[in-house]
Amino acid sequence: MHLKPLLKKEWEEIIRERLIVFSLAFLPLILVGLTFHQILSLKPEQIPPTLVLPPSFSSAKEFVRYMILNQFLGVFLTVPSLGSVLIAAYAIVGEKVQKTFEPLLATPISEAQLFASKLVVAAGIPLLMSFSGYLLLIIGLLAINAELIRKAILTPMWLVGLLGLAPLLCLFCSLMSMIVSSKVKDIRAAQQVSALVVLPVVFGLLALFLKRLVTLPSLLLCLAGLALLNVLVFVLAVKLFKREAIVTVWI
């Protein structure tokens, strides 16, 4: 059995869970709306008089807008990971609860194929929603202040963060949540335990990123380590997945 029918099945399963899809689409829209609200509602009296203006900025207002945008971009880095927890935690235990997993396990698919198909959907949909939010943000900034795109979004650090760190972190969160989902018997328990496992990692990296404690070379090194960690966790997830136990032990 190839991955294509598995991916189609996983996609259809998630689309039926409209609350999850709505949550994944709603969060980026809210963040984009809050970003523009903060930028457009900025008043001169809100700018600290002692603010030191970097040479690359022509006005204090532009610099404060830049700082606001950076804060929201940092939050955007966590959106795919948070969304992947919702989907991945549901991935296995949800099918077991709905009694749709046993027929799937009876088909001639390997554990690696099963996990790969669920991983693509669990990480792919939140990433797609988040990158759509980025696109809306860029389109809006073109109308407000196109220079902020170059200074805030199109910097090497943020490009590596958005295109490298966010996807790899999303894959890690998806894999960890799928391991939890394969070991518990309740959807809410899977989501709660997954959140406890992955959120400290996500917000820890976010804090380092926002406080500029990570340089570009160290970030690239971190990405290489995270990519290797994802491969190891994927192998571990496949090994921990007990096909017979899913069918015979779960009630």
Side-chain angles (χ1 to χ4, degrees), residues 92 178-185 240-242 246 250:
I92 296 175
M178 286 169 61
I179 292 176
V180 173
S181 183
S182 68
K183 297 299 179 183
V184 300
K185 301 179 182 181
L240 290 175
F241 182 72
K242 303 298 183 182
I246 294 291
W250 281 18

Side-chain angles (χ1 to χ4, degrees), residues 95-245:
E95 289 209 51
K96 181 60 185 179
V97 170
Q98 294 182 0
K99 302 187 183 302
T100 59
F101 210 32
E102 289 84 349
L104 178 62
L105 294 178
T107 59
I109 61 171
S110 66
E111 284 81 359
Q113 287 177 318
L114 177 66
F115 267 84
S117 63
K118 291 184 176 296
L119 180 62
V120 168
V121 174
I125 293 179
L127 283 171
L128 179 62
M129 298 292 187
S130 296
F131 288 143
S132 298
Y134 291 134
L135 182 59
L136 287 175
L137 189 62
I138 291 174
I139 292 172
L141 287 173
L142 284 172
I144 298 172
N145 188 339
E147 189 66 16
L148 282 175
I149 299 175
R150 181 183 65 81
K151 292 180 178 178
I153 297 179
L154 298 183
T155 63
M157 194 73 170
W158 276 115
L159 286 175
V160 172
L162 298 178
L163 301 178
L165 181 61
L168 287 174
L169 198 56
C170 181
L171 287 172
F172 173 76
C173 292
S174 298
L175 285 167
M176 294 301 295
S177 298
M178 286 169 61
I179 292 176
V180 173
S181 183
S182 68
K183 297 299 179 183
V184 300
K185 301 179 182 181
D186 178 76
I187 296 175
R188 282 179 295 183
Q191 292 173 339
Q192 291 167 359
V193 174
S194 297
L196 288 175
V197 171
V198 304
L199 291 187
V201 177
V202 173
F203 289 117
L205 285 174
L206 175 62
L208 292 175
F209 201 86
L210 290 178
K211 291 182 179 180
R212 307 289 182 176
L213 299 178
V214 179
T215 62
L216 184 58
S218 63
L219 179 59
L220 292 173
L221 185 62
C222 176
L223 294 185
L226 191 54
L228 177 60
L229 179 62
N230 281 336
V231 174
L232 295 176
V233 174
F234 180 83
V235 174
L236 177 64
V238 172
K239 288 186 176 295
L240 290 175
F241 182 72
K242 303 298 183 182
R243 196 183 192 109
E244 297 78 10

